[in-house]
Amino acid sequence: MKTKTLLGGLLASLMIMGSAASAQGPIRVEVYKSAYCGCCGKWVEHLRKNGFDVVTKDVDNVPAARKALGMPEKYGSCHTAKVGSYSVEGHVPADDIRRLLSGSPKAIGLATPGMPQGSPGMETSTPQPYETLLVGLDGSATVFARH
C-alpha cells in the first residue's frame, strides 16, 4: 500500500512540474541581424517552427552586437543571438540550442562559424557537413555537434 501511495504522489508531482514548465512558455531568443540578410530571417523561422519565442533586432553593426554578447569574432557569422545567459552565433540548429540549455555548461555559448550550406537558414540541394562549436569561457572551442 505504501508503494502505491508513494508512486501516486510521485506521479502527481511530475504532472505538476510538467504543467509548471509548460506554463513558462517558449524559450526567448533575441537575434541581432542586418535588416537586409535573407538567411538570417530563414534561421529565425527555423527557431520559431521549433517552438522558440524569437525577437529580432536589426542592427547596423553585427560584429559590435557579437562583441557585446561576449562571442569572439573568430566564430563570427551573419547574425548573433542571446538565449538565456548564452550567446548563439550563426546558423545553429534549434536542437543544439535545446541541448545547450538542458546541459547548462559553463560557456559563452554555441557557434556555427561562417554560413555552412545545409545549416538551418542555409538550406540547399548540396549540403556540406558542418559543426556546432561549444565556446568556452576562455574563448576556446570544442565540437558540440556534427551535422
Side-chain angles (χ1 to χ4, degrees):
M1 190 66 153
K2 286 184 181 181
T3 302
K4 219 177 205 182
T5 305
L6 179 63
L7 288 175
L10 180 59
L11 182 57
S13 295
L14 289 172
M15 290 172 68
I16 290 168
M17 287 170 40
S19 296
S22 63
Q24 292 174 0
I27 298 165
R28 183 182 177 100
V29 181
E30 294 177 7
V31 179
Y32 300 86
K33 65 178 197 60
S34 165
Y36 309 105
C37 185
C39 67
C40 297
K42 289 179 182 179
W43 183 71
V44 166
E45 286 308 310
H46 164 75
L47 293 182
R48 287 182 176 145
K49 285 179 185 174
N50 281 277
F52 288 90
D53 173 27
V54 184
V55 175
T56 61
K57 299 181 182 201
D58 291 338
V59 295
D60 293 328
N61 189 340
V62 174
R66 180 180 308 114
K67 184 177 181 179
L69 294 177
M71 182 62 69
E73 183 63 33
K74 66 183 173 181
Y75 304 115
S77 184
C78 56
H79 58 266
T80 193
K82 180 178 185 240
V83 58
S85 63
Y86 295 107
S87 294
V88 176
E89 183 66 30
H91 294 267
V92 175
D95 287 343
D96 290 355
I97 296 171
R98 278 197 198 87
R99 191 173 135 222
L100 171 76
L101 295 173
S102 70
S104 300
K106 291 183 180 179
I108 293 170
L110 296 177
T112 300
M115 298 168 66
Q117 297 296 306
S119 61
M122 294 293 296
E123 289 81 3
T124 178
S125 60
T126 55
Q128 65 183 29
Y130 68 95
E131 298 173 335
T132 298
L133 305 176
L134 177 67
V135 180
L137 297 175
D138 65 355
S140 66
T142 57
V143 175
F144 186 76
R146 287 187 168 84
H147 304 279

